[in-house]
Amino acid sequence: MKTGSYPGKVSIRIADSDIDFHAEPGDPLLRAALRSGIGMAYDCNSGGCGSCQIELVEGEIEDIWPDAPGIGARARKRGRLLACQCRPLSDCVVEARVEDRFRPVVLPQRRSVRLVGFRPITHDLAEFTFASEDGKADFQPGQYAMLALPGVEGERAYSMANLANAEGQWSFVIKRMAGGAASNRLFDEREALEGLELDGPYGTAYLREETPRDIILVAGGSGLSPILSIAAGIARSEKLAGKRVMVFYGGREAKDLCAARQLDRLFPDGHRFEVIEATSEGEEGAREAGASRVQYKGFIHEVLAAYLKENALDFGGFDYYFCGPPPMINALNRMLQLEFNVPEDQLFFDSFL
Ligand SMILES: Cc1cc2nc3c(=O)[nH]c(=O)nc-3n(C[C@H](O)[C@H](O)[C@H](O)COP(=O)(O)OP(=O)(O)OC[C@H]3O[C@@H](n4cnc5c(N)ncnc54)[C@H](O)[C@@H]3O)c2cc1C
Ligand code: FES
């Protein structure tokens, strides 16, 4: 491994397979694979989850974030690397996990964008809309893109809140994080931002329209972003026209709750759609204005379990989409799989590491 300047296009081969692809100069190895339509395993694309671990068999690779939390010191010592955080410096052979379920449905592309819209939602959430210079915005509801901000080290994953469109618009609900380099820059310096690049789409937690089941969406904080896109995808889908949709949204206090306000307009008749909101530190049972809004106290996974039990609903009768902070994602996965035996292939999630 070394740091260096990038040669021209290089060729990458997956060991013990007939898979090979090219990487453009400076492109992370994972993204080069996905751009070529190869299903290299990954989740966060941000160095945090460890799903994209590979081993270098031959060639030279630059580790672009040696402190990335997604890989431990012992694995690094054994020569393992994160495919999302390394760039090939020569032709390479790597050992990597490749599976059909990671194969992109839309090939990711890098494009220049400019900020064209800003809409505050709560005290710390706002919707940012970017327009791409090539006029393209092609993605599945629930996917994310990587945003490069000049002056901020590394790129940040943000999940689209809108649907694919012919105007080249990419919208994201972004949360201002205490001390966060990218989110504070976006909130505070948005009018002066230049040289922005978006690379995407990425992610496998996108809406599956071929399902016999009803649908539950769960989000906390900025997890609202992909849930808005998925809900809009459901509202528009003829295949999902008869499906019941339940949205569970969690915040710390009442001032964090905003899902019902954002979602009610998608299902104006309301008959197959409910939003259940909960605060971990708020009031018990408060009911607020809004057609579908019922507010509970508790962590959102507990509220979800209580609600399904109270209404005698079968946990296995739903597809689940959930996005937000890692503790919420872990709690939901544990609860749904271990306690209620929901099969793994009914769970689609992104952990906002
Ligand atoms: C799949 C996915 C989807 C997401 N969707 C959303 C969304 O829709 N809305 C939203 O508000 N947030 C989303 N996030 C979280 C978002 O990507 C940022 O982590 C968050 O905005 C905090 O960034 P920050 O720069 O403000 O904070 P910081 O603390 O400055 O940065 C935190 C993150 O930046 C990355 N990072 C830090 N240093 C480096 C480095 N040297 N090289 C590479 N990467 C580095 C890491 O991913 C780290 O978790 C998502 C995260 C993931 C993984
Ligand atoms: S996909 Fe590389 S660490 Fe998560």
Side-chain angles (χ1 to χ4, degrees), residues 43-48 64-65 85 125 144 152-160 172-184 222-223 225-226 350-353:
D43 280 312
C44 71
N45 213 337
S46 306
I64 48 181
W65 190 15
Q85 301 298 327
L125 284 184
Y144 65 88
V152 173
E153 193 149 349
E155 294 173 34
R156 300 295 186 267
Y158 291 115
S159 309
M160 281 69 85
F172 307 91
V173 174
I174 296 179
K175 179 172 173 155
R176 187 197 278 274
M177 303 296 288
S183 56
N184 284 288
S222 57
S225 199
D350 269 327
S351 192
F352 287 8
L353 297 163

Side-chain angles (χ1 to χ4, degrees), residues 205 218-220 223-224 226-227 230 321-325 328-329 348-350 352:
V218 193
L224 178 66
I227 293 307
I230 294 172
Y321 294 84
F322 41 108
C323 304
M328 183 197 96
I329 302 297
F348 307 95
F349 55 90
D350 269 327
F352 287 8

Side-chain angles (χ1 to χ4, degrees), residues 236-257:
R236 172 193 74 169
S237 167
E238 281 175 20
K239 290 182 184 155
L240 298 173
K243 301 291 177 209
R244 179 174 185 179
V245 184
M246 297 164 75
V247 180
F248 291 83
Y249 184 72
R252 189 171 299 162
E253 302 171 64
K255 67 176 181 179
D256 298 324
L257 300 183

Side-chain angles (χ1 to χ4, degrees), residues 255-270:
K255 67 176 181 179
D256 298 324
L257 300 183
C258 55
R261 265 184 287 131
Q262 305 301 313
L263 286 159
D264 278 348
R265 68 189 159 81
L266 293 175
F267 298 87
D269 55 2

